[in-house]
Amino acid sequence: MNKKDLTETDIRTKFITPALDRDKGGKWDLMTQIREECPFTDGRVIVRGKSVARGERKRADYILYYKPNLPIAVIEAKDNRHSVGAGMQQALDYAEILDVPFAYSSNGDAFLEHDRTRKSGQIEREIPLHQFPSPDELWARYRASKGYTDAQQTVVKQDYYDDGSRKSPRYYQLVAINRTVDAIARGEKRILLVMATGTGKTYTAFQIIWRLWKSGAKKRILFLVDRNILADQTKTNDFKPFGKALTKITNRTADKSYEIYLALYQAITGTEESQNIYKQFSPDFFDLVIVDECHRGSAAADASWRQVLDYFTSATQIGLTATPKETETVSNIEYFGEPIYTYSLKQGIEDGFLAPYKVVRVGLDKDLDGWRPERGKLDKYGREIEDREYTQRDYDRALILDKRTSVIAKKISEYLKATDRFAKTIVFCEDIDHAERMRQALVNENADLVAQNRLYVMRITGDNDEGKAQLDNFIDPEKRYPVLVTTSRLMTTGVDAQTCQLIVLDRSIESQTEFKQIIGRGTRINEDYNKLFFTIMDFRQATAQFADPKFDGPPEQIYEPRDDQSVVPPDPGEGIGTESPAATGILTGQSAPGLYDRLGALGRRAAAMGEARPKYHVEDVDVAVVTERVQYLDEHGKLITESLDDYTRRKVKASYASLAALLAAWQATERKGAMLETLAKAGVFIEELAAQYGSEHDPLDLIAHVVFAQPLCTRQQRVDHAAARLQAVQAKLSVKARAVVAALLQKYIAVGVSSLESMDILKVDPLPKLGTPMEIVSLFGGKAGYLASLSQLKNELYR
């Protein structure tokens, strides 16, 4: 056997695995400690028109575990024609992603080891194949680098919860859980975990609590949420294994006989001292406090959650959020410290765990040009409308244009009618009144389906019990109704709508924190229900947030006190009317444009004092759509801002500088579908071009037209132009074989060249009428003859 003739798979099977496997003379347990060819991502979802595909999964040749869910090493294998260390850079990349301390490369001759725990000295060394370190040896080196005591090691080595299904957390959940348990074992008191919406923060929190609780490191735990539905979902789903040790604080009573407590922070705090139920517990009662969606309350020094955190200050405290709040006046990082781990929306989409999106931006004339009433114009209630220029930010706050609402409801309904009228949809509105008017407009646009079931369109807002009662049905993939829901703020966070496929923005959103939360309603994937991507329909230019380079970057600490300032950010309520940061328009989660929301807050305060400005209501002003544009994500996950034509031109010319080069490559490629796949992976949207110019055109002609200004040619015209040459090809065949070729040409005209290149085409009408696939192939002298005739057919079509 010549070792250099072996494949990489042979090298793994014959040399690397035996060096590891305990039963074959190694030191590792094949069943519990070794995973070979282990995928750890799902592969990015690639959307091409109406078709969806998965990209390549990241796959490690080996992941080694000290014990289940505690990965300690990765090995990258190469065939023997490579050097021992040829796979090291890839191994290090995977080791960094998976957060494991040891990386190895091997070609079957030896191992090259990279010790990530070392900060100096010999970081890399070559070791013989039979001397690969044992699990205990690697753990001892890792423990020494961490400086664990026996007690700390007990916590870090505590088992995960296992329901018997052997389902393992995703790799990023393992990193988040293991880093958090490690930090707490080493005595850290404040921890911030940043994980994008839809990536399983609650499940991650459960495993953290389970391991700390089971190891005895934390005996009493408080888990705080800000929505009742979140508390109920947590209790019945992720936290169910806690059984009788778990309780939810209700009826403002504190039963001290439990170990794990779920609480709605509004249920344990209040404006009156008697409402502060948390004070019925002693300050040292809880060992661990976890705050879910911590951006919503605990970031502000005077928020209710901060009062609870300050009371239980002796407890270890963990903040969970998808959107850490960092502004001039409010900071999560100031309180919790830098995030111990961040798993972003961008990374989730890249890994294939979160759904990508496309954006439909619709511009309305009154939004883009503004509107000014003529002198003395009255609204529908007879009030004279203040004479000023009204812009997009005014609509549905200071001014209601009924026809604007109707136009938006019509566009939403048009989109659903063209795609799927039962695609779960959330319409985000300015306020409850706007949500109700939008509900009415959607009912009128979808009267046929509403007549079948009144729940087709629902308003789900905080003031409406009937709507809130339908929230569980909306988020349940198995429940068909409701389908379209209008809301203002109730559904911006914490609503696990797995099958939501359309998010409509008809609300001004300057806060990036709020924008991320809203977008998060669509990012969950549910393959069982064919939910792999979603669409954002934007009527308020809110998706301009995507262009912000900080949109998916790491959180930043913005508050920078001067020498004479406290390290605690100032109270955002202080100094109204002065030159303090709170009065300058630099607001919670916002930059300068947030001034509008400050004015809105002042308006609400004035309203509470009986000084609210009127909201004018106008029925007779026409509103029209003037622009409509669809944007897509490119192959790198960036939103494409140029036109489809310009983008296609740029992408194709990067590979084919001239029409001649494109045609030469096309002719040289035997399987045209493979070249189309290559173009698609490079970011060329073939199906979108077909939707724009017509599906009757061949992909080659679409690209030649858009990129090189060639005249468009339909597939029927291609067949007509090649008629004489095709007849010459057919003349050499039998009568039955000519009938097959004629049927294949009709298939080409109908659906394109890719369909011809699959043998399955022989099973599709009308070809089965000409014989079975085997009988058809035999007409050409066998499969090789059939494929040769097919190749000649394509050559003549594209000559």
Side-chain angles (χ1 to χ4, degrees), residues 23-49:
D23 292 338
K24 297 180 181 178
K27 303 162 187 175
W28 296 75
D29 189 311
L30 184 63
M31 297 304 295
T32 62
Q33 294 181 303
I34 301 172
R35 291 188 65 189
E36 188 176 350
E37 285 197 282
C38 178
F40 57 89
T41 71
D42 276 359
R44 179 187 175 85
V45 176
I46 302 168
V47 182
R48 300 168 186 158

Side-chain angles (χ1 to χ4, degrees), residues 273-311:
E273 184 63 25
S274 61
Q275 295 175 320
N276 289 325
I277 305 305
Y278 66 90
K279 291 188 177 180
Q280 293 182 22
F281 298 97
S282 63
D284 61 354
F285 184 84
F286 292 109
D287 305 309
L288 176 65
V289 178
I290 299 182
V291 183
D292 193 21
E293 306 290 357
C294 67
H295 64 280
R296 293 181 61 83
S298 62
D302 66 340
S304 298
W305 287 2
R306 279 289 287 270
Q307 295 173 26
V308 177
L309 295 179
D310 290 341
Y311 183 77

Side-chain angles (χ1 to χ4, degrees), residues 371-379 383-390 394 398-399 613-618:
W371 178 75
R372 185 173 183 177
E374 60 267 25
R375 185 182 297 276
K377 182 171 180 60
L378 305 180
D379 76 351
R383 296 172 299 186
E384 184 172 341
I385 302 172
E386 180 184 350
D387 182 15
R388 66 179 179 88
E389 183 85 11
Y390 290 89
D394 293 309
L399 177 73
R613 297 183 64 178
K615 183 187 288 188
Y616 301 111
H617 199 138
V618 181

Side-chain angles (χ1 to χ4, degrees), residues 424-499:
K424 295 287 181 85
T425 300
I426 306 175
V427 185
F428 287 95
C429 303
E430 288 286 0
D431 55 24
I432 290 173
D433 170 64
H434 183 202
E436 171 56 24
R437 289 183 288 103
M438 186 62 72
R439 183 198 67 82
Q440 296 170 24
L442 287 167
V443 165
N444 290 333
E445 288 294 335
N446 297 276
D448 55 336
L449 294 183
V450 173
Q452 293 176 26
N453 191 313
R454 67 178 184 82
L455 299 179
Y456 180 77
V457 182
M458 292 290 293
R459 169 168 63 93
I460 300 180
T461 50
D463 70 321
N464 185 269
D465 290 338
E466 185 179 11
K468 285 190 291 184
Q470 291 298 324
L471 182 54
D472 283 348
N473 290 331
F474 178 75
I475 65 180
D476 186 343
E478 295 185 3
K479 299 292 176 61
R480 193 171 202 182
Y481 300 100
V483 177
L484 279 70
V485 301
T486 65
T487 189
S488 55
R489 280 164 177 77
L490 180 65
M491 299 177 69
T492 57
T493 184
V495 177
D496 189 11
Q498 297 178 19
T499 54

Side-chain angles (χ1 to χ4, degrees), residues 62-78:
Y62 294 86
I63 300 179
L64 305 184
Y65 294 81
Y66 177 62
K67 51 186 306 188
N69 296 316
L70 289 179
I72 197 167
V74 295
I75 304 173
E76 196 59 31
K78 295 295 181 182

Side-chain angles (χ1 to χ4, degrees), residues 63-236:
I63 300 179
L64 305 184
Y65 294 81
Y66 177 62
K67 51 186 306 188
N69 296 316
L70 289 179
I72 197 167
V74 295
I75 304 173
E76 196 59 31
K78 295 295 181 182
D79 63 48
N80 201 248
R81 293 186 297 276
H82 291 82
S83 67
V84 171
M88 180 53 73
Q89 295 203 120
Q90 188 172 355
L92 284 171
D93 182 39
Y94 289 168
E96 185 175 335
I97 293 170
L98 299 172
D99 203 31
V100 299
F102 302 100
Y104 295 88
S105 172
S106 178
N107 66 350
D109 289 337
F111 289 100
L112 180 67
E113 176 189 80
H114 184 108
D115 186 344
R116 299 179 70 231
T117 69
R118 298 178 67 95
K119 306 302 178 188
S120 62
Q122 190 177 16
I123 294 176
E124 290 195 355
R125 63 175 181 143
E126 188 171 305
I127 54 180
L129 208 62
H130 64 282
Q131 291 183 12
F132 191 85
S134 70
D136 288 337
E137 180 184 341
L138 289 185
W139 181 261
R141 287 158 61 184
Y142 176 67
R143 175 183 174 176
S145 73
K146 289 287 189 177
Y148 290 143
T149 64
D150 289 345
Q152 290 170 334
Q153 178 177 242
T154 299
V155 177
V156 173
K157 290 172 65 175
Q158 176 61 47
D159 292 338
Y160 277 63
Y161 171 77
D162 184 357
D163 62 3
S165 67
R166 293 195 172 274
K167 178 183 177 182
S168 177
R170 292 170 174 170
Y171 84 86
Y172 62 85
Q173 293 170 336
L174 285 179
V175 176
I177 295 163
N178 291 336
R179 281 193 185 182
T180 302
V181 171
D182 164 76
I184 292 173
R186 290 185 290 103
E188 292 191 24
K189 301 289 287 184
R190 303 285 183 270
I191 295 166
L192 181 62
L193 267 179
V194 179
M195 296 173 66
T197 299
T199 56
K201 290 192 298 296
T202 308
Y203 172 74
T204 299
F206 162 72
Q207 289 287 8
I208 291 169
I209 295 170
W210 179 270
R211 295 177 65 200
L212 294 171
W213 181 57
K214 282 293 185 180
S215 68
K218 303 297 176 185
K219 297 179 174 62
R220 293 194 186 99
I221 295 104
L222 174 63
F223 189 79
L224 283 170
V225 298
D226 75 329
R227 297 283 172 87
N228 198 51
I229 187 173
L230 291 179
D232 291 339
Q233 285 177 350
T234 300
K235 184 179 180 182
T236 57

